[in-house]
């Protein structure tokens, strides 16, 4: 069996004739050779093998020994992912399947063709990274034009793909205005408002809303008529759902400048509630009062019935560490903004660079694991299905790390430009935090600058508290 495999990737979506041209070229090639063929084609699919139905059909036929040749425009049409490419290449070798392109015939049991295909896979992977970067630039241009760059607009809006614009969704608008109007009464916190919201409305995909989601909705400047890209806001082309005066009133309430009336059945919220994470199991710590005062505890029970070994930590100890971290961070940001001390000014960049190096080290380790997995498969120690599963898992981890590296690089590039804005924004929250009227207001304000507080503590060991800022 001869298979023509056609794939129109995302970057080719707007090129109407690309798939048709490729189909004509490859079918003519087969006709000139006198080959019969079956066509498999897919459009705009993910680069991951797991989400590409047609290539998986081809793989199934190859495994069944039914394929003699795979005809495609180039090797990277099969996959631009180095590890998936290695998997497909090994499969083609095992079943003695030729790969035919308009420019070359590949016999993957020939050493020179193997070397050439490996080199082309590396070049293709690099091209893919460049395409992703160009797409990011395109998104920035769209943001400056006032267009949304993410896939799904927030509650209260819908995207009309026919005219490529964001329009008001009347049903969603009612939900959003309910949140705004109720919160502006001053009688609700984000926590109690989430409860009221869930009594009346069903969230996206049937999920209930929580205080974190309500907070994000109330502080989202998209509703003022702006779009966001890489931390910067641009004037949007969509209709606002809130006035600037209302938005500022909400900000004041969230900063604790207005007392929130305690409602019937109100349970007192403690500082750091729903903020601290257990470093052992990853679950949220509960702040409870005992004979020693408020303490952070982990109540998670593993599927086998064993309880997490986290040993409780006094709230005062966490707050002391947090206050020290806040004081240190404001000084670092101030020095970076004022350029008074080169060492301090570069601390943030050095921290980001260290995170990049840590990610690269993890990628290197995963690559070693992948190579070991491939070796085990080649020696017949593990089967093909297990190999594919392991490679896909490693591939996903590496992809996430690579994306994180790109984000960290962007942060480094924008560091000097954003120093003043970062300092002033942090200082505003920092000063407001000191004057928070109660624990609930304190927690709400703290979430604006804290990414996570992770605590590691085993019985009779030192407490390790890691605080990360947004």
């Amino acid at each position: 069996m001869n298979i023509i495999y056609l794939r129109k990737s995302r970057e080719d979506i707007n090129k109407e004739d690309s798939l048709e041209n490729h189909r004509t070229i490859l079918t003519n090639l087969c006709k000139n050779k006198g080959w019969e063929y079956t066509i498999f084609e897919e459009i705009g699919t993910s680069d991951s093998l797991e989400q590409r139905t047609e290539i998986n059909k081809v793989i199934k036929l190859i495994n069944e020994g039914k394929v003699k040749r795979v005809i495609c425009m180039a090797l990277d049409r099969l996959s631009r992912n180095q590890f998936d490419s290695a998997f497909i290449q090994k499969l083609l070798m095992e079943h003695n399947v030729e790969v035919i392109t308009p420019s070359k015939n590949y016999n993957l049991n020939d050493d020179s063709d193997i070397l050439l295909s490996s080199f082309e896979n590396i070049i293709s992977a690099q091209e893919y990274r460049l395409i992703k970067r160009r797409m990011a630039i395109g998104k920035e241009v769209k943001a400056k034009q006032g267009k949304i760059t993410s896939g799904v607009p927030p509650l209260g809006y819908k995207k009309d793909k026919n005219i490529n614009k964001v329009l008001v969704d009347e049903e969603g608008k009612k939900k959003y205005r309910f949140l705004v109007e109720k919160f502006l009464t001053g009688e609700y916190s984000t926590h109690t408002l989430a409860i009221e919201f869930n009594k009346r409305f069903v969230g996206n995909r049937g999920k209930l809303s929580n205080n974190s989601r309500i907070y994000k909705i109330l502080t989202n400047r998209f509703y003022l008529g702006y779009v966001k890209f890489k931390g910067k806001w641009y004037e949007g082309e969509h209709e606002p759902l809130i006035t600037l005066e209302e938005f500022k009133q909400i900000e004041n309430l969230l900063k604790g400048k207005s007392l929130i009336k305690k409602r019937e059945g109100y349970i007192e919220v403690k500082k750091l509630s729903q903020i601290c994470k257990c470093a052992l199991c990853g679950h949220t710590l509960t702040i409870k009062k005992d004979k020693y005062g408020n303490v952070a505890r982990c109540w998670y029970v593993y599927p086998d019935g064993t309880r997490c070994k986290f040993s409780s930590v006094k709230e005062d100890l966490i707050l002391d560490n947090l206050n020290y971290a806040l004081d240190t961070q404001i000084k670092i940001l101030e020095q970076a903004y004022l350029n008074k001390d080169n060492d301090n000014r570069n601390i943030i960049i050095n921290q980001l660079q260290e995170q990049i190096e840590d990610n690269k080290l993890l990628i290197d380790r995963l690559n070693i694991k992948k190579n070991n997995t491939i070796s085990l498969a080649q020696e017949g120690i593990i089967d093909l299905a297990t190999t594919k599963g392991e490679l896909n898992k490693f591939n996903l981890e590496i992809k996430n790390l690579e994306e994180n590296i790109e984000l960290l690089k962007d942060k480094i590039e924008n560091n000097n430009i954003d120093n003043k804005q970062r300092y002033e924004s942090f200082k505003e929250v920092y000063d407001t935090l000191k004057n928070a009227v109660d624990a609930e207001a304190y927690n709400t304000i703290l979430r604006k600058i804290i990414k996570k507080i992770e605590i590691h503590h085993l019985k009779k060991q030192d407490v390790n508290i890691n605080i990360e800022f947004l």
Side-chain angles (χ1 to χ4, degrees):
M1 175 186 256
N2 299 311
I3 286 177
I4 291 179
Y5 178 73
L6 294 161
R7 181 179 175 221
K8 188 175 185 179
S9 54
R10 285 193 180 94
E11 59 271 21
D12 296 326
I13 281 292
N14 295 322
K15 300 176 183 177
E16 295 182 1
D17 61 342
S18 62
L19 195 64
E20 183 61 36
N21 286 345
H22 292 174
R23 187 186 299 108
T24 301
I25 291 169
L26 297 182
T27 54
N28 284 341
L29 187 154
C30 289
K31 289 173 183 177
N32 291 337
K33 296 284 187 180
W35 297 336
E36 294 183 355
Y37 56 84
T38 302
I39 297 178
F40 292 82
E41 62 183 54
E42 47 198 344
I43 301 175
T45 52
S46 166
D47 199 55
S48 169
L49 282 181
E50 295 295 327
Q51 299 179 38
R52 291 166 55 196
T53 56
E54 297 305 303
I55 193 66
N56 279 295
K57 291 177 184 176
V58 174
I59 289 171
K60 184 175 183 294
L61 290 171
I62 293 172
N63 274 321
E64 293 171 354
K66 296 178 179 179
V67 181
K68 184 177 182 180
R69 300 181 186 91
V70 173
I71 301 102
C72 54
M73 287 301 297
L75 281 175
D76 66 5
R77 294 292 90 182
L78 299 177
S79 179
R80 279 181 168 170
N81 181 295
Q82 285 178 262
F83 309 105
D84 286 344
S85 294
F87 167 75
I88 293 174
Q89 181 174 304
K90 184 174 182 294
L91 187 67
L92 295 168
M93 289 169 60
E94 288 176 345
H95 294 274
N96 200 27
V97 177
E98 285 184 279
V99 178
I100 310 297
T101 71
S103 59
K104 182 173 175 58
N105 297 355
Y106 294 88
N107 178 0
L108 296 178
N109 285 302
D110 181 88
D111 289 342
S112 61
D113 279 2
I114 292 173
L115 180 62
L116 178 61
S117 66
S118 297
F119 179 71
E120 288 179 350
N121 284 337
I122 293 171
I123 297 297
S124 177
Q126 176 64 18
E127 288 177 348
Y128 182 59
R129 285 191 287 270
L130 291 173
I131 288 169
K132 286 177 69 178
R133 186 171 290 276
R134 286 198 293 270
M135 289 175 70
I137 293 171
K139 285 185 177 182
E140 184 174 6
V141 171
K142 283 186 177 180
K144 289 180 178 179
Q145 293 173 344
K147 299 181 185 297
I148 188 171
T149 57
S150 58
V152 181
L155 175 73
Y157 293 96
K158 59 185 177 181
K159 191 172 183 179
D160 189 327
K161 294 182 180 179
N162 295 323
I163 59 175
N164 196 27
K165 282 191 175 184
V166 172
L167 306 176
V168 173
D169 172 37
E170 293 300 329
E171 193 61 34
K173 178 181 177 180
K174 291 178 184 177
K175 296 178 182 180
Y176 173 71
R177 290 304 305 178
F178 171 85
L179 293 173
V180 169
E181 290 162 14
K182 287 292 183 183
F183 194 75
L184 285 174
T185 64
E187 297 180 7
Y188 294 86
S189 66
T190 52
H191 175 71
T192 54
L193 184 55
I195 295 172
E196 290 300 313
F197 184 80
N198 289 330
K199 288 178 181 178
R200 291 168 172 79
F201 305 106
V202 178
N204 291 338
R205 299 175 186 174
K207 292 183 179 179
L208 296 177
S209 294
N210 54 27
N211 65 322
S212 177
R213 181 170 184 262
I214 299 300
Y215 177 83
K216 287 179 181 178
I217 291 173
L218 292 174
T219 57
N220 191 347
R221 297 182 69 82
F222 190 91
Y223 294 103
L224 275 171
Y226 294 91
V227 293
K228 187 178 184 181
F229 183 73
K230 288 191 174 181
K232 295 181 180 179
W233 289 95
Y234 303 92
E235 188 172 351
E237 61 179 10
H238 58 281
E239 178 186 334
L241 296 185
I242 189 172
T243 66
L244 181 59
E245 182 182 0
E246 287 175 321
F247 194 84
K248 287 183 175 180
Q249 287 176 6
I250 287 174
E251 284 186 323
N252 288 334
L253 286 167
L254 289 171
K255 290 174 183 176
K257 293 184 179 179
S258 176
L259 287 172
I260 297 173
K261 180 182 175 182
K262 300 299 185 287
R263 306 175 76 249
E264 184 179 349
Y266 174 79
I267 300 174
E268 183 183 358
V269 175
K270 297 177 176 60
K271 281 187 176 182
L272 305 178
S273 288
Q274 300 296 311
I275 292 176
C276 300
K277 297 285 184 181
C278 172
L280 299 176
C281 68
H283 286 76
T284 302
L285 299 176
T286 302
I287 308 298
K288 289 287 185 181
K289 187 174 182 180
D290 66 8
K291 60 182 179 181
Y292 301 108
N294 289 341
V295 296
R297 287 182 174 172
C298 183
W299 300 95
Y300 181 67
V301 177
Y302 292 98
D304 64 1
T306 59
R307 187 180 294 278
C308 178
K309 294 183 179 180
F310 181 90
S311 185
S312 61
V313 177
K314 290 184 178 180
E315 178 193 61
D316 290 343
L317 178 60
I318 304 172
L319 289 172
D320 286 344
N321 276 267
L322 176 59
N323 291 332
Y324 177 78
L326 289 167
D327 291 340
T328 302
Q329 184 72 357
I330 194 69
K331 289 175 183 176
I332 291 172
L333 293 173
E334 183 181 26
Q335 292 295 337
Y337 161 46
L338 298 176
N339 291 334
K340 288 182 177 179
D341 187 336
N342 286 333
D343 290 336
N344 281 342
R345 183 163 57 86
N346 290 326
I347 284 176
I348 295 174
I349 293 177
N350 291 338
Q351 288 174 341
L352 292 170
Q353 192 60 51
E354 286 176 6
Q355 291 179 49
I356 289 174
E357 295 305 317
D358 289 343
N359 279 291
K360 287 181 177 179
L361 183 61
L362 289 172
I363 288 174
D364 289 341
R365 290 174 180 171
L366 287 168
N367 280 328
I368 292 172
K369 289 182 178 180
K370 287 181 194 175
N371 291 333
N372 291 339
T373 301
I374 292 171
S375 297
L376 291 172
Q378 289 172 337
E379 293 172 11
I381 298 174
I382 57 177
D383 59 33
L384 194 60
T386 302
T387 303
K388 181 182 176 183
E390 289 298 302
L391 289 178
N392 283 338
K393 181 183 72 174
F394 293 141
N395 175 52
L396 180 59
E397 292 179 25
I398 285 180
K399 182 180 179 181
N400 290 336
L401 289 168
E402 287 176 340
E403 289 177 352
N404 193 40
I405 287 173
E406 291 302 316
L407 290 173
L408 291 168
K409 286 180 178 178
D410 287 339
K411 286 184 179 180
I412 290 175
E413 289 176 7
N414 295 328
N415 183 69
N416 290 330
I417 299 173
D418 296 339
N419 277 341
K420 180 180 179 180
Q421 181 182 351
R422 186 184 295 112
Y423 167 69
E424 291 177 346
S425 176
F426 191 93
K427 187 176 187 303
E428 181 182 1
V429 178
Y430 176 78
D431 292 338
T432 306
L433 194 65
K434 293 179 179 179
N435 300 316
V437 295
D438 58 25
E440 191 160 16
Y442 179 91
N443 294 341
T444 300
I445 298 163
L446 186 63
R447 288 188 181 95
K448 296 183 73 173
I449 54 175
I450 290 290
K451 182 179 180 181
K452 69 175 178 179
I453 300 176
E454 192 175 66
I455 305 174
H456 185 285
H457 187 216
L458 292 170
K459 196 172 183 180
K460 297 182 180 180
Q461 292 188 10
D462 292 336
V463 178
N464 184 8
I465 300 174
N466 177 38
I467 299 169
E468 290 186 26
F469 295 96
L470 291 171

